[in-house]
Amino acid sequence: MDHRTESNTITQQDKDAVSSYVVDKNGVKVRMPYQMIKLVEFDDIDPKELIDIPHSARLQYRLLLMDAVIRCKVEFVKRKIIVIYNHPEAKNYKDKISQQQLIEFLAKEGVHVKLDKMTERDFDYFKEHYTYAFEPEVIRESVPYGYTKEEWQKMKVQTEAKKKEEHDKKVKELEERWGEGKSAHKDDDKPHDAPQEKPGGFVGMIKDAFGKLRSINN
Amino acid sequence: MPNNPERNMGNGAVQETTYDENLTTNINNKRPEVKEVAGNADAQNPILAVYHRSLEELEKMPVIERTKTVCPECKLIIDGTIYKDGDNVMIRKTCEKDGMFVEKYWEDYDMYIRMRDFNYFGRGLDNPNVLLKGENCPFDCGICQRHKTHTGLANVVITNRCHLSCWYCFFYAKEGEPIYEPTVEELEKMFISLKNVKPIPANAMQITGGEPTMHPNVVEIVKRCKKAGFDQIQLNTTGINLGANPDLAVKLREAGVTTLYMSYDGVSKRANPKNHWETPKALDAARKAHIGVVLVPTVIRTINDHELGAMINFGLNNLDVVKAVNFQPVSLVGRMPPRLREKQRITIPGAIKLIEEQTNGVIAKEDWKSVPYSGGITKFIEALSGDFGYDLSIHFACGAGSYLYKDNDGKITPITRFLDVDSFVETLQGAIEEMQGKPRWQRKIIAAKALLKLPKYIDKKNQPKSVNFASMLTSVLLKHDFESMGVFHTRSMFVGMMHFQDEWTYDIKRVEKCDIHYAMPDGQVLPFCTFNVFPEVYRDKIQKQYSIPAKEWGETHANWSYASDKLHRDIKALESDPAYIRTYGQMVDYFALPVNGGKHVANFARPTDKAVVPPIVAVAKSVNATAPAVVRTVAQKEDSCGCGGHEAKQESKDSCGCGSGKGGCGCGNQAEAAGDSCGCGKGGCGC
């Protein structure tokens, strides 16, 4: 359902869906648009249909144009297409697409997938996409300019500990500066009122009148 | 519009049509031969002639290099050829289906070759957010392991609500669109994620939007950002809300904002209908809060390119609070007629040349250096400190800058006139090579020897009278006394250029070196030129996933409506405000002083027929009393809110329009003609 084209009435179910929050490992409550969605992998694609890497990239772009496709990868060399999509049974009110629609779309793009080479599984958006993106693994290690790897290994622990110590000290100083009792900061965590220029004279009078009318109507 | 194109309609539907190969499918492909005939004005116009070459002429143009780019129509990754056309550097690309596209890449061949010397690869990211090799770049982003540069400036969008409706902007929530406004906790996660980037985490953050001061918790957001470890926090804002509420500016400063990155498209009302009237109060608020301001003009040819010198002059007149003017040649996203695009295209050298003309040569094109120029300095510091240093390894064509110093007599001197920067950088590079493989104590000796050579690169004859640069450097380096440097800093102003790409100038080699990165709510990190050039698969797509429908937003936010967010401006009240009269009425034209050439900057003051030009006021005391009086007050009455620029008057109907729209700013009827053409991404650049 596209909330822009369907009825504007939002049901309690929709609110529950859109308000689905997840608490991450640090106890932070975050809004999660998707939870359990699907990952489908089409293997053994005919390379003539993918044509080459640039055409595969463009196919990837065209797949990504669909709101229901969250991520995808068209791998020319491996002759594989991986699509993470919001399937019709998913518990949210975002745009949806079925596996069949995906296959038809690919066919229109000139790529005819083999159903026996297709695998699909559930994809946990929070764990596999979101959490990974926020906590990516380290794939290599760089060394500061002018130092050898061995030198860096010796100084690394000390350097990082020193940086952490400096950071903690800064945070402590900041908290003291912003601490309670300082009148300038007592309302920092509350929503602020950022007024715009209020027009005076006739314009201001009309605006106030309309504002009052709106609140009466509501 | 191309004939019979195949169009992806989204949502899986593709419009298939017949395709007639005998017809040109893209009007850009029509290349009339250049003939000396009357009426072929565009082909003979030196600025536009480069777009009107025949295929035979194009094939003869010397090739500088080849790169990978995308077709602006179908997004196929295709080969791009960067070639020389007279004084211009152009990019040419041919799509098998959509034809050939030619666009300006860099409007000065000599400057291109000079700046190309400083181009190196950075370290990239050791923990990319997506584990992809990036063979489908730029559609594999998130950020992938192919990326060559760490985050130099992090951007986080905290809201898509804005109180303006600028005709060229795509960042703000329009009527009916969902509201994107993450919570404080969600934003904090993004800050921490950026600080966990390895090996070099971001240290500078730009909080952007929409209009970030519309977020009710912006002060708390800044504090969380500061606590996460960002030393430099910029707020990308129109300044309007801060001008109306200076206490908010004070709170933001105390929370950690160090710079206001403020949109400012021109000195006159026509060039800057966005915030011309509120800028004086915004500057006063910044003064009260002790926040530095960076003025950020989006430069569009035929719209505000005649006021570049005037904007620099405006900055110099407010040097107590304006620390930089960072020009951003427009990035033309969205559909627009090719002719309009050709007329409005301007690149970094194009703007630099205009600045040289408009400032009487005071700021010459030789005074500008590319951003990676400073790469040697960061490596030098890194080799000494043993800690990873900021690696400004962006592409040389992305940005340039210079420093100006204002002396007691009003003389404006770029730093390159009295500091031999080239030799200084060469000395450092020599020292870096010498330091290779040496133990730490020896590296320090080599570094000290290099630094002690610095004073000989200072031209004492040309250095400003009010500063002893050699003595200042000695104090800083040997005595660690920074007071004199502070004095230097208060009298200097950075002028910069940052040109973001669009689909016509897209160069994948530039994208993989981009260091302005957006953090997304789903954990991904995206370079500016993927985030904004392909918003349909990045910015708009991801923000929509995390947005709240307008109806629900209205239910949870009492008395909210799109209209209630919009600015209502009383121009008469603003124009009679003392801050306005003082700021615009008592400006000194520094470039009209004899020491700076003696000729007014273009469009310094434009009295209209209706206005009464106030009498010339005596020169301010700080300026040389023997100089002719140059202070003029700007005419009080001008047409409010119009198309920018005197030349744009003719163009206004078929070009970008900012008509007399609602709220005194924004899209009027002319925006219909402009459609959704002409864009310049926000955040990182100002719109």
Side-chain angles (χ1 to χ4, degrees):
Chain A
M1 175 182 111
D2 183 344
H3 59 266
R4 288 171 301 175
T5 55
E6 297 287 337
S7 160
N8 259 344
T9 308
I10 295 182
T11 63
Q12 187 59 42
Q13 191 185 3
D14 293 334
K15 282 184 187 177
D16 291 341
V18 87
S19 305
S20 58
Y21 283 88
V22 174
V23 179
D24 71 6
K25 67 172 192 189
N26 298 317
V28 178
K29 198 172 165 188
V30 290
R31 195 179 303 127
M32 204 50 44
Y34 308 102
Q35 295 201 14
M36 293 307 287
I37 48 181
K38 293 277 186 196
L39 182 151
V40 65
E41 201 170 303
F42 302 105
D43 259 311
D44 199 24
I45 309 277
D46 185 349
K48 286 183 195 158
E49 291 181 347
L50 292 177
I51 308 173
D52 55 18
I53 291 177
H55 283 85
S56 302
R58 186 174 65 178
L59 176 59
Q60 185 169 318
Y61 167 80
R62 288 177 173 173
L63 279 164
L64 285 170
L65 282 175
M66 293 186 277
D67 285 346
V69 172
I70 286 91
R71 273 200 84 86
C72 66
K73 178 86 177 117
V74 179
E75 298 190 51
F76 174 76
V77 172
K78 294 182 181 172
R79 295 162 55 192
K80 192 193 290 198
I81 297 176
I82 302 166
V83 182
I84 299 167
Y85 68 101
N86 194 27
H87 61 104
E89 289 77 38
K91 289 184 177 141
N92 57 67
Y93 71 87
K94 305 286 185 192
D95 284 10
K96 294 183 165 75
I97 192 168
S98 65
Q99 190 194 91
Q100 186 55 34
Q101 283 172 316
L102 266 176
I103 292 169
E104 285 167 8
F105 174 81
L106 289 170
K108 275 189 184 161
E109 294 291 324
V111 176
H112 299 91
V113 300
K114 297 170 181 135
L115 295 178
D116 56 332
K117 297 284 184 182
M118 177 188 80
T119 51
E120 189 176 79
R121 65 171 176 86
D122 287 336
F123 183 85
D124 187 332
Y125 179 87
F126 174 70
K127 283 187 187 154
E128 298 185 65
H129 171 73
Y130 181 93
T131 303
Y132 184 86
F134 270 109
E135 295 168 18
E137 61 183 88
V138 180
I139 58 167
R140 62 172 180 244
E141 187 153 353
S142 294
V143 178
Y145 191 88
Y147 289 81
T148 62
K149 208 170 174 179
E150 291 73 27
E151 280 179 321
W152 173 238
Q153 289 300 330
K154 281 182 200 164
M155 17 181 318
K156 184 181 172 180
V157 171
Q158 236 179 333
T159 310
E160 289 183 353
K162 190 178 161 199
K163 269 169 43 177
K164 188 174 183 314
E165 197 187 310
E166 282 170 4
H167 172 69
D168 290 343
K169 189 179 161 198
K170 262 189 200 168
V171 170
K172 198 174 163 197
E173 281 170 9
L174 286 169
E175 281 172 351
E176 276 169 20
R177 206 170 83 197
W178 299 327
E180 286 180 31
K182 305 239 172 180
S183 59
H185 294 287
K186 65 180 173 58
D187 294 326
D188 277 359
D189 57 348
K190 292 183 191 158
H192 77 87
D193 180 28
Q196 299 169 17
E197 282 288 346
K198 298 283 183 209
F202 184 69
V203 172
M205 196 172 72
I206 298 296
K207 187 176 180 287
D208 283 344
F210 272 113
K212 282 176 187 154
L213 267 175
R214 197 182 298 122
S215 60
I216 290 167
N217 281 337
N218 287 343
Chain B
M1 281 288 282
N3 289 315
N4 301 330
E6 184 181 293
R7 288 278 171 261
N8 189 333
M9 306 301 285
N11 290 324
V14 175
Q15 180 188 337
E16 288 181 1
T17 56
T18 56
Y19 175 73
D20 187 340
E21 290 189 52
N22 289 324
L23 293 172
T24 49
T25 55
N26 185 301
I27 52 176
N28 274 326
N29 215 11
K30 282 184 186 170
R31 296 277 167 228
E33 285 181 17
V34 178
K35 288 177 186 171
E36 299 290 328
V37 291
N40 194 2
D42 282 356
Q44 289 169 25
N45 181 336
I47 291 174
L48 300 177
V50 290
Y51 293 104
H52 296 271
R53 306 286 187 221
S54 65
L55 284 169
E56 292 75 25
E57 283 174 310
L58 284 172
E59 277 161 17
K60 288 177 190 163
M61 303 283 180
V63 171
I64 300 171
E65 65 180 286
R66 300 196 192 274
T67 186
K68 289 284 182 192
T69 178
V70 292
C71 170
E73 296 290 333
C74 70
K75 312 294 185 277
L76 183 67
I77 295 172
I78 51 181
D79 291 330
T81 303
I82 297 172
Y83 64 95
K84 177 179 186 286
D85 182 341
D87 197 29
N88 288 289
V89 177
M90 306 287 289
I91 184 166
R92 172 176 88 230
K93 47 189 157 180
T94 306
C95 177
E96 60 195 17
K97 197 160 65 64
D98 296 304
M100 190 176 68
F101 302 89
V102 166
E103 188 53 85
K104 280 185 190 169
Y105 191 89
W106 192 261
E107 285 166 289
D108 190 304
Y109 174 73
D110 291 333
M111 207 188 295
Y112 181 90
I113 296 299
R114 179 164 56 89
M115 290 192 173
R116 199 170 68 152
D117 285 342
F118 296 94
N119 195 27
Y120 62 96
F121 287 128
R123 277 202 188 78
L125 282 80
D126 291 346
N127 56 343
N129 297 75
V130 297
L131 209 52
L132 294 171
K133 297 230 186 285
E135 60 261 23
N136 290 347
C137 180
F139 306 122
D140 265 348
C141 216
I143 201 165
C144 83
Q145 49 186 297
R146 184 170 152 174
H147 205 77
K148 304 277 190 299
T149 301
H150 70 95
T151 307
L153 175 67
N155 277 30
V156 170
V157 176
I158 68 170
T159 181
N160 69 345
R161 293 189 295 130
C162 188
H163 51 192
L164 298 180
S165 305
C166 300
W167 53 267
Y168 50 69
C169 185
F170 294 92
F171 276 77
Y172 66 92
K174 297 169 188 66
E175 192 85 27
E177 289 185 353
I179 303 298
Y180 173 76
E181 199 160 293
T183 62
V184 176
E185 290 73 27
E186 286 167 339
L187 290 164
E188 190 177 22
K189 269 186 80 101
M190 291 188 234
F191 300 148
I192 294 170
S193 165
L194 286 162
K195 288 304 281 184
N196 286 336
V197 169
K198 295 175 171 51
I200 306 169
N203 196 38
M205 164 66 71
Q206 188 173 105
I207 291 173
T208 181
E211 169 54 43
T213 53
M214 305 279 289
H215 195 301
N217 299 103
V218 65
V219 177
E220 180 62 21
I221 289 166
V222 169
K223 281 168 78 174
R224 302 279 182 115
C225 183
K226 195 76 183 170
K227 273 175 75 172
F230 288 92
D231 289 327
Q232 272 280 324
I233 301 176
Q234 301 175 4
L235 194 72
N236 189 342
T237 175
T238 58
I240 295 173
N241 278 352
L242 298 176
N245 186 3
D247 289 338
L248 178 61
V250 172
K251 285 193 170 191
L252 287 166
R253 176 70 181 103
E254 292 185 359
V257 170
T258 47
T259 310
L260 295 182
Y261 203 74
M262 203 169 91
S263 310
Y264 192 70
D265 291 337
V267 182
S268 68
K269 297 170 209 182
R270 282 186 177 273
N272 185 23
K274 185 195 301 181
N275 61 357
H276 164 87
W277 296 270
E278 290 86 1
T279 294
K281 283 181 135 183
L283 293 180
D284 281 350
R287 284 183 180 104
K288 183 179 174 185
H290 301 288
I291 305 182
V293 173
V294 175
L295 298 176
V296 189
T298 303
V299 185
I300 307 176
R301 223 181 253 286
T302 74
I303 301 294
N304 63 350
D305 59 333
H306 58 291
E307 290 196 13
L308 305 187
M311 286 188 257
I312 292 175
N313 188 61
F314 181 84
L316 290 167
N317 272 276
N318 294 282
L319 202 54
D320 59 321
V321 71
V322 173
K323 294 293 117 197
V325 182
N326 194 27
F327 295 97
Q328 288 176 164
V330 69
S331 167
L332 297 167
V333 296
R335 288 213 159 271
M336 64 190 304
R339 189 164 172 270
L340 182 60
R341 195 182 76 241
E342 290 164 16
K343 287 195 165 194
Q344 292 185 340
R345 171 69 68 195
I346 186 165
T347 62
I348 288 174
I352 287 174
K353 285 180 194 172
L354 286 171
I355 287 173
E356 184 171 1
E357 284 168 21
Q358 293 172 16
T359 59
N360 305 325
V362 168
I363 309 168
K365 65 180 192 178
E366 290 75 23
D367 296 318
W368 297 79
K369 303 292 177 194
S370 64
V371 171
Y373 194 76
S374 51
I377 300 172
T378 58
K379 282 191 169 34
F380 182 83
I381 295 168
E382 191 178 310
L384 277 185
S385 65
D387 196 4
F388 293 102
Y390 247 46
D391 206 9
L392 295 170
S393 56
I394 69 168
H395 195 276
F396 66 91
C398 289
S402 184
Y403 258 103
L404 308 178
Y405 185 85
K406 187 177 89 170
D407 212 345
N408 285 336
D409 59 355
K411 183 171 181 189
I412 309 299
T413 312
I415 196 171
T416 44
R417 302 290 176 95
F418 59 89
L419 177 63
D420 186 355
V421 187
D422 291 339
S423 303
F424 173 47
V425 168
E426 248 180 68
T427 303
L428 287 182
Q429 281 172 340
I432 290 166
E433 280 164 28
E434 214 184 316
M435 281 194 257
Q436 282 280 10
K438 301 274 188 329
R440 203 167 175 179
W441 64 268
Q442 220 168 332
R443 286 201 288 266
K444 292 202 174 203
I445 294 173
I446 296 168
K449 277 189 194 166
L451 288 172
L452 285 171
K453 287 182 193 169
L454 272 181
K456 79 174 187 185
Y457 300 128
I458 298 163
D459 184 349
K460 291 188 176 121
K461 258 193 326 190
N462 286 324
Q463 79 174 347
K465 295 185 186 81
S466 59
V467 69
N468 185 333
F469 209 73
S471 158
M472 183 187 78
L473 279 175
T474 310
S475 296
V476 167
L477 295 168
L478 297 178
K479 300 180 198 169
H480 299 281
D481 175 10
F482 290 89
E483 195 185 315
S484 51
M485 190 140 196
V487 172
F488 177 84
H489 185 64
T490 54
R491 296 182 140 261
S492 59
M493 187 174 82
F494 178 77
V495 280
M497 293 273 169
M498 193 106 241
H499 193 184
F500 300 105
Q501 299 182 92
D502 53 47
E503 291 158 330
W504 284 272
T505 58
Y506 212 76
D507 181 350
I508 290 177
K509 283 186 191 170
R510 278 179 66 177
V511 174
E512 60 187 27
K513 301 180 83 187
C514 178
D515 77 341
I516 297 180
H517 298 166
Y518 280 84
M520 302 307 290
D522 66 349
Q524 293 185 74
V525 170
L526 299 167
F528 191 103
C529 290
T530 42
F531 180 85
N532 286 308
V533 179
F534 307 108
E536 63 274 18
V537 297
Y538 291 114
R539 181 189 73 213
D540 296 345
K541 184 180 174 87
I542 300 170
Q543 283 184 358
K544 191 178 161 188
Q545 289 170 3
Y546 285 81
S547 290
I548 293 174
K551 191 163 171 73
E552 184 179 333
W553 186 265
E555 285 173 7
T556 49
H557 294 76
N559 299 322
W560 176 82
S561 66
Y562 290 99
S564 67
D565 273 351
K566 294 301 173 188
L567 174 72
H568 296 268
R569 179 186 275 151
D570 183 346
I571 289 178
K572 280 189 181 160
L574 287 165
E575 285 185 353
S576 48
D577 191 276
Y580 182 91
I581 294 168
R582 176 182 17 99
T583 303
Y584 290 116
Q586 294 171 13
M587 272 203 291
V588 172
D589 183 353
Y590 286 100
F591 299 101
L593 294 174
V595 287
N596 292 323
K599 192 177 140 199
H600 277 303
V601 286
N603 298 283
F604 175 65
R606 285 196 306 118
T608 64
D609 293 339
K610 294 176 191 173
V612 172
V613 179
I616 294 171
V617 178
V619 168
K621 280 182 190 171
S622 61
V623 182
N624 191 335
T626 60
V630 293
V631 177
R632 296 182 189 277
T633 54
V634 175
Q636 292 294 310
K637 287 182 185 177
E638 282 189 15
D639 294 339
S640 65
C641 254
C643 287
H646 53 278
E647 287 171 18
K649 269 186 196 171
Q650 283 302 111
E651 309 286 346
S652 63
K653 282 185 186 168
D654 60 351
S655 74
C656 355
C658 179
S660 51
K662 301 165 236 183
C665 169
C667 307
N669 290 335
Q670 286 163 325
E672 291 293 322
D676 54 350
S677 62
C678 256
C680 176
K682 198 183 190 291
C685 70
C687 284

